[in-house]
């Protein structure tokens, strides 16, 4: 578990504190009411069955590093939605064009049907 703790440890606190004074106001665009139907895209989608074995093997190896006698069960394996990943990357790049050291958080992505 040492690897997992190091992987998810936050080490960029200094960079975040220096960017706090550079807030950019962004207005939220609601879907229009002109009989347009919008669907929220999920951030994660179920992984393919081919990926189950390799993901389970990696997770087991990482968990066994510090706790060799432990047991756990993997209930669900999901992967990032490639469409959401692409849209969030593009919109973050557009937002970062105006402020070089900005933090952008994308909470929801909708798709017009």
């Amino acid at each position: 578990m040492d690897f997992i703790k190091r992987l998810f440890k936050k080490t960029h606190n200094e960079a975040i504190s220096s960017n706090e004074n550079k807030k950019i106001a962004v207005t939220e665009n609601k879907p229009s009411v002109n009989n347009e139907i919008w669907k929220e895209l999920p951030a994660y989608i179920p992984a393919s069955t081919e990926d189950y074995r390799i993901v389970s093997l990696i997770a087991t190896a990482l968990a066994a590093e510090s706790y060799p006698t432990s047991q756990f069960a993997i209930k669900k394996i999901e992967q990032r939605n490639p469409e959401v990943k692409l849209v969030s990357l593009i919109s973050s790049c557009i937002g970062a064009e105006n402020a070089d050291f900005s933090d952008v958080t994308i909470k929801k992505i909708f798709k017009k049907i």
Side-chain angles (χ1 to χ4, degrees), residues 5 10 18 34 46 50 59 61 68 70 77 80 99 101 108 111:
K5 288 178 185 175
K10 293 186 179 182
S18 66
N34 299 341
E50 299 90 36
S70 65
I77 297 175
R80 290 283 300 181
F101 300 104
K108 294 182 182 180
K111 180 180 183 179

Side-chain angles (χ1 to χ4, degrees), residues 3-71:
F3 175 74
I4 295 174
K5 288 178 185 175
R6 284 182 300 196
L7 183 66
F8 293 109
K9 184 169 64 170
K10 293 186 179 182
T11 58
H12 56 283
N13 292 338
E14 299 84 24
I16 291 173
S17 63
S18 66
N19 290 333
E20 288 179 357
N21 55 358
K22 297 180 182 180
K23 300 281 183 183
I24 297 174
V26 177
T27 58
E28 180 180 347
N29 291 331
K30 301 267 183 188
S32 64
V33 292
N34 299 341
N35 296 330
E36 296 175 348
I37 300 173
W38 293 81
K39 175 184 168 188
E40 183 178 351
L41 295 175
Y44 293 91
I45 57 174
S48 63
T49 54
E50 299 90 36
D51 295 338
Y52 275 38
R53 180 173 289 178
I54 188 79
V55 171
S56 300
L57 182 65
I58 292 170
T60 304
L62 291 174
E65 177 186 359
S66 297
Y67 305 103
T69 59
S70 65
Q71 294 181 1

Side-chain angles (χ1 to χ4, degrees), residues 68-88:
T69 59
S70 65
Q71 294 181 1
F72 67 96
I74 298 174
K75 295 180 180 180
K76 184 170 44 170
I77 297 175
E78 294 184 332
Q79 66 183 13
R80 290 283 300 181
N81 188 343
E83 189 174 13
V84 169
K85 191 175 176 181
L86 179 66
V87 170
S88 61

